[in-house]
Amino acid sequence: MATLREIRGRIVSITSTRKITSAMKMVSSSKLHRAQATLKSVQPYMQALHHIARRLLPDADGAPRTVRRAAIVVFASDSALCGAFNANAIREMQSALAAYRRQEVEPLLYGVGKKVSDYARKEGLPLVRHYEKLSGAAGYAPLAALADELAAMFERGETDCAELIYHRFKSVGTQLPAREPFLPLTPPPAVAHAAAPAVPADGYILEPDRRTLAAALVPQCLRLQLYTALLHSNASEHAVRMIAMQTATDNADELVGKLSISYNKLRQQAVTNELLDIAGGSIKP
């Protein structure tokens, strides 16, 4: 049976841990608000640009390219204490790697976040390149360079497709693992009007021609798509960590309450025993 000193020590220890989890929850909440604001401001622009770039793409000519090498960009976090966030991203990556291996496709793995590189090192998976400590505006330049590199490799035939694996942020309580195609960027059905091939279906009047505009807009679209995936991943990470720290704080409060009850019962029992000893000693034989 635990003594009063042991129970008191556990209460002090759990209370200290509760202060840490509560502070981490507040920090994650603040970071989440900033990440949500950035994502909210970027996403409409990305969607409009993506739509226009897809509409501007020239019609594909020839048979589809046979996939022999595929690039996979996986987004995870740099630190732990964020629930199943990293485990879900790794699970999606494992599923993609297994699918490509069954198809005899060589995967080229790119990692964003320390947890991806840690897992790859542990499992002996080769990483072409990995990035750490990317968040907010600081992450745009490295990912823009990566988007340009992947596009250049695709044009040279060094890769035949590329995809992104990340968490899509829906709300504070919902973050869904997603596998999103990145390359090739294909046009939607009925891109152009048959009578006027220079004018997309949306009715834009283009100057210069569609191919020239597509050559300028598609790289911007790819860079922003990669950056938006980072923003979704960051917002999802902060949301999951905030919920995990809130749960840990609530569990600490519950455990401290139970230990306090046990401490008070044991203390009352000790007081009662002392009173009985005093009363018993005062009785004359």
Side-chain angles (χ1 to χ4, degrees):
M1 184 176 180
T3 63
L4 284 172
R5 178 175 294 181
E6 291 174 345
I7 295 177
R8 190 186 303 114
R10 292 185 63 190
I11 292 175
V12 171
S13 175
I14 295 172
T15 302
S16 299
T17 303
R18 184 202 176 280
K19 292 179 181 178
I20 296 173
T21 57
S22 179
M24 291 183 66
K25 182 250 181 184
M26 294 174 63
V27 171
S28 296
S29 176
S30 176
K31 290 182 177 180
L32 173 61
H33 289 315
R34 291 199 299 270
Q36 279 183 285
T38 305
L39 181 60
K40 186 177 180 181
S41 63
V42 170
Q43 196 162 9
Y45 175 71
M46 188 277 295
Q47 291 173 347
L49 181 62
H50 206 75
H51 176 74
I52 294 173
R54 283 176 178 271
R55 290 285 178 177
L56 290 173
L57 282 177
D59 296 333
D61 51 340
R65 184 185 296 188
T66 302
V67 178
R68 295 185 177 86
R69 304 181 78 186
I72 309 173
V73 184
V74 185
F75 293 80
S77 70
D78 291 317
S79 57
L81 299 178
C82 49
F85 177 81
N86 292 311
N88 289 337
I90 296 300
R91 191 177 299 114
E92 285 293 325
M93 181 183 72
Q94 291 172 333
S95 176
L97 292 175
Y100 281 129
R101 286 165 182 160
R102 286 194 298 269
Q103 300 168 10
E104 297 183 351
V105 175
E106 179 186 356
L108 303 177
L109 194 59
Y110 296 80
V112 179
K114 188 174 183 295
K115 293 302 178 179
V116 178
S117 59
D118 289 346
Y119 176 81
R121 191 181 304 110
K122 177 182 176 182
E123 297 296 325
L125 300 174
L127 275 176
V128 179
R129 191 170 291 104
H130 72 278
Y131 302 86
E132 298 180 8
K133 298 181 180 179
L134 297 184
S135 61
Y140 180 78
L143 291 183
L146 176 59
D148 293 342
E149 177 184 342
L150 292 175
M153 293 173 62
F154 181 78
E155 290 179 358
R156 294 193 299 264
E158 297 175 6
T159 59
D160 302 300
C161 69
E163 68 176 40
L164 311 179
I165 296 178
Y166 66 99
H167 281 74
R168 183 177 295 277
F169 180 83
K170 296 291 186 181
S171 65
V172 176
T174 306
Q175 306 85 32
L176 303 176
R179 286 180 61 184
E180 181 178 286
F182 185 65
L183 287 170
L185 187 65
T186 55
V191 172
H193 194 278
V199 181
D202 287 345
Y204 295 105
I205 298 175
L206 303 178
E207 179 65 33
D209 61 277
R210 187 171 66 179
R211 288 181 179 272
T212 303
L213 287 175
L217 289 180
V218 167
Q220 294 291 340
C221 180
L222 294 176
R223 294 166 192 161
L224 198 58
Q225 183 180 356
L226 206 57
Y227 179 59
T228 304
L230 173 67
L231 296 180
H232 273 283
S233 181
N234 285 341
S236 299
E237 176 191 350
H238 297 319
V240 172
R241 182 174 287 110
M242 184 185 71
I243 294 174
M245 292 301 100
Q246 180 62 56
T247 303
T249 302
D250 294 341
N251 290 340
D253 288 336
E254 181 180 355
L255 189 54
V256 167
K258 292 180 179 179
L259 288 174
S260 297
I261 293 174
S262 299
Y263 178 82
N264 292 332
K265 286 182 178 180
L266 193 59
R267 182 172 177 274
Q268 185 62 44
Q269 181 179 352
V271 171
T272 301
N273 291 337
E274 290 180 5
L275 290 175
L276 290 176
D277 290 341
I278 295 173
S282 62
I283 298 176
K284 296 182 180 180

